[in-house]
């Protein structure tokens, strides 16, 4: 994922500030990563490198933990967050087909963010309304009984140009919080 | 190392002298009794015990236990084979087979592969039968000068990661992701040559299978 202009400086400042609060030591890794993600919204590689150096463990160990827990994301959350439910009921009613449809349309894999940071796609495990399966959460709004055709509708409603990709750029100054 | 006392243990009806406190797996191997194993590291005080292949029956234990985690004790009575042990080891081996690129003839580890040895020793098949093969299509990483990394032949024993961290002390590789996506990789899952790897080759020597193999000269 390409960093936005000024994002690297922001990451360095934020992470540097967080790291000052912790004693060095491997056992601090999880709380640090949680705080970094809480602040930056995801775990950029630059941040993971800084954490590794601060607590004196190999970079790959930080990456290992960051990729192990579902709690952590390695890509920035998109402006529109799409969460496809993969709970039992949604899985049985074709949740993975819906996921595939989103992956094809957005040209990213599950867990990734589009290059323009407009959309991020992730899987969730049950959102608690199984009667409406398969369910997709679009920016915390529930989309019920989603069909592949509805996927296009959802994306069009969010301003994605169809059918192929658009080069449409958003206004400048879009930083992630 | 402190001087350790010796104890007498029984493995498959034969008595052996063993160093007290040594893990049973290594005692057995030193005495020529083969127990299948992939992830075991002798120096490691708390083994991962993740490969689930070194099961043995020990008198006093209700169920089979992993030999790599059991310290030898005076009078310990061990059986390396039983119906339950064979079933556990057989299933673990089948699961490995279902996620391992087969075709030994085209593998760099052919002839020195630990999987081949286990299959031979225990009469197991080097193919999938009950289980579907779930080998991902991943290209071989040929970026290093000295060796190649074929992820599809990796058994996730973690021996390469252990020597990288504890012997070579580089910290270039680790086990990343989870579940079916788990794999040995570098930071950011880059090609090996683009990482902090110094290509010392210690991980290649540690690999029990054909995942990490030296390039032919």
């Amino acid at each position: 994922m390409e960093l936005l202009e000024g994002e690297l400086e922001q990451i360095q400042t934020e992470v540097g500030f967080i790291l000052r609060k912790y004693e060095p030591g491997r056992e601090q890794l999880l709380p640090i990563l949680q705080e970094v993600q809480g602040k930056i919204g995801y775990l950029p590689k630059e941040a993971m490198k800084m954490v590794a150096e601060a607590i004196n463990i190999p970079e790959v160990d930080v990456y290992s933990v960051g990729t192990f827990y579902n709690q952590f994301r390695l890509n920035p959350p998109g402006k529109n967050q799409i969460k496809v439910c993969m709970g039992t009921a949604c899985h049985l009613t074709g949740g993975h087909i819906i996921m595939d449809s989103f992956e094809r349309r957005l040209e990213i894999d599950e867990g990734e963010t589009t290059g323009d940071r407009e959309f991020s796609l992730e899987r969730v495990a049950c959102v608690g309304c199984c009667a409406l399966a398969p369910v997709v959460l679009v920016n915390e709004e529930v989309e019920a009984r989603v069909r592949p055709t509805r996927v296009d509708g959802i994306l069009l409603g969010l301003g994605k140009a169809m059918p192929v990709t658009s080069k449409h750029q958003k206004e400048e100054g879009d930083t992630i919080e | 190392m402190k001087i350790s006392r010796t104890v007498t243990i029984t493995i498959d009806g034969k008595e052996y002298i063993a160093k007290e406190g040594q893990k049973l797996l290594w005692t057995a191997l030193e005495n020529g009794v083969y127990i299948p194993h992939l992830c075991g590291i002798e120096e490691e005080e708390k083994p991962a015990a993740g490969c689930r292949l070194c099961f043995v029956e020990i008198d006093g234990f209700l169920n089979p236990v992993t030999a790599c985690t059991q310290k030898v004790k005076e009078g310990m009575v061990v059986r390396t084979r039983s119906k339950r042990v064979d079933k556990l080891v057989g299933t673990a081996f089948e699961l490995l087979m279902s996620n391992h690129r087969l075709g030994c003839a085209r593998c760099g580890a052919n002839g020195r592969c630990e999987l081949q040895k286990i299959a031979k020793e225990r009469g197991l098949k080097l193919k999938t039968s009950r289980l579907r093969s779930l080998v991902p299509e991943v290209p071989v990483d040929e970026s290093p000068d000295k060796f190649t990394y074929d992820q599809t032949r990796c058994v996730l024993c973690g021996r390469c990661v252990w020597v990288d961290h504890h012997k070579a002390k580089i910290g270039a590789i680790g086990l990343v992701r989870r579940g079916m996506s788990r794999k040995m990789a570098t930071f950011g899952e880059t090609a090996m040559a683009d990482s902090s790897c110094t290509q010392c080759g210690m991980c290649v020597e540690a690999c029990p299978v054909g995942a990490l193999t030296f390039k032919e000269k």
Side-chain angles (χ1 to χ4, degrees):
Chain A
M1 190 95 236
E2 294 282 316
L3 291 179
L4 303 172
E5 214 182 305
E7 196 183 359
L8 180 62
E9 290 73 23
Q10 189 208 348
I11 291 168
Q12 284 168 340
T13 324
E14 299 278 18
V15 178
F17 185 74
I18 293 167
L19 289 174
R20 252 172 276 147
K21 291 192 283 184
Y22 291 89
E23 299 286 317
R26 185 177 277 268
E27 64 280 2
Q28 303 294 339
L29 179 56
L30 275 175
I32 293 175
L33 290 183
Q34 284 172 324
E35 201 172 335
V36 169
Q37 174 153 312
K39 204 84 194 167
I40 304 179
Y42 72 113
L43 300 178
K45 278 186 190 150
E46 291 69 22
M48 288 195 274
K49 285 181 183 170
M50 285 175 74
V51 173
E53 205 193 323
I55 57 174
N56 198 22
I57 62 170
E59 287 171 1
V60 71
D61 286 4
V62 180
Y63 187 78
S64 182
V65 170
T67 53
F68 182 84
Y69 292 104
N70 277 331
Q71 181 190 3
F72 296 121
R73 50 184 310 151
L74 302 185
N75 290 304
K79 211 172 131 203
N80 296 300
Q81 296 186 36
I82 294 162
K83 295 172 181 151
V84 182
C85 181
M86 289 288 184
T88 313
C90 293
H91 177 79
L92 284 172
T93 47
H96 56 282
I97 298 173
I98 304 306
M99 179 63 92
D100 281 351
S101 308
F102 275 112
E103 285 181 342
R104 260 202 303 277
R105 274 294 181 229
L106 295 171
E107 295 178 60
I108 52 171
D109 283 338
E110 173 200 326
E112 292 182 348
T113 305
T114 52
D116 57 7
R117 302 209 186 182
E118 281 292 306
F119 297 94
S120 58
L121 182 61
E122 59 194 297
R123 71 154 66 195
V124 290
C126 198
V127 290
C129 45
C130 307
L132 307 177
V135 173
V136 174
L137 284 183
V138 180
N139 297 326
E140 307 307 315
E141 295 276 319
V142 173
E143 284 280 344
R145 295 192 189 87
V146 180
R147 298 283 170 263
T149 45
R150 179 75 193 117
V151 168
D152 283 3
I154 292 168
L155 292 176
L156 276 169
L158 294 169
K160 171 141 182 75
M162 292 287 174
V164 221
T165 48
S166 75
K167 284 262 167 14
H168 97 204
Q169 296 277 310
K170 275 280 124 179
E171 256 71 72
E172 256 68 63
D174 264 356
T175 44
I176 22 160
E177 254 352 288
Chain B
M1 279 292 266
K2 61 172 194 263
I3 301 149
S4 47
R5 292 195 305 136
T6 56
V7 292
T8 313
I9 62 164
T10 312
I11 305 176
D12 294 334
K14 269 178 80 178
E15 285 199 352
Y16 296 95
I17 308 287
K19 288 191 279 279
E20 189 181 26
Q22 191 185 29
K23 302 288 189 338
L24 175 61
L25 173 64
W26 309 106
T27 307
L29 293 172
E30 275 171 26
N31 287 294
V33 178
Y34 185 72
I35 297 172
H37 61 102
L38 285 172
C39 69
I41 288 152
E42 192 170 0
E43 294 108 302
E44 187 60 50
E45 185 52 32
K46 283 190 176 153
C51 70
R52 315 312 283 171
L53 290 170
C54 66
F55 277 112
V56 292
E57 301 247 14
I58 299 176
D59 278 7
F61 285 94
L62 210 56
N63 293 312
V65 288
T66 46
C68 66
T69 54
Q70 293 299 321
K71 287 179 179 171
V72 291
K73 285 194 195 103
E74 180 63 45
M76 197 179 231
V77 179
V78 182
R79 270 155 291 126
T80 61
R81 298 293 293 270
S82 76
K83 218 173 168 178
R84 293 194 300 172
V85 165
D86 285 357
K87 200 173 172 192
L88 282 167
V89 175
T91 309
F93 195 78
E94 257 187 278
L95 284 164
L96 281 171
M97 286 297 109
S98 75
N99 198 19
H100 181 79
R101 166 91 57 225
L102 298 165
C104 297
R106 276 167 279 115
C107 177
N110 192 11
R112 58 157 188 86
C113 174
E114 198 66 30
L115 291 173
Q116 288 177 325
K117 182 163 185 187
I118 296 166
K120 193 167 160 244
E121 291 279 342
R122 292 287 161 103
L124 299 165
K125 289 192 180 73
L126 283 162
K127 61 171 188 160
T128 51
S129 45
R130 280 194 296 174
L131 307 171
R132 197 152 43 100
S133 179
L134 291 171
V135 185
E137 288 302 326
V138 186
V140 178
D141 182 0
E142 298 191 0
S143 64
D145 299 327
K146 279 166 62 180
F147 63 91
T148 60
Y149 169 43
D150 184 353
Q151 193 195 305
T152 61
R153 299 205 197 258
C154 177
V155 290
L156 296 173
C157 67
R159 263 148 83 156
C160 52
V161 176
W162 193 87
V163 294
D164 171 74
H165 278 51
H166 295 90
K167 294 285 164 189
K169 297 196 195 299
I170 307 291
I173 53 172
L175 293 174
V176 306
R177 302 185 178 268
R178 70 193 293 177
M180 292 305 289
S181 320
R182 190 126 171 111
K183 60 178 172 183
M184 185 278 271
T186 61
F187 180 81
E189 293 166 52
T190 60
M192 211 60 95
D194 299 334
S195 71
S196 53
C197 171
T198 58
Q199 301 196 22
C200 65
M202 286 176 83
C203 59
V204 186
E205 280 156 27
C207 184
V209 294
L212 289 163
T213 45
F214 285 111
K215 284 182 180 171
E216 308 234 344
K217 283 276 148 63

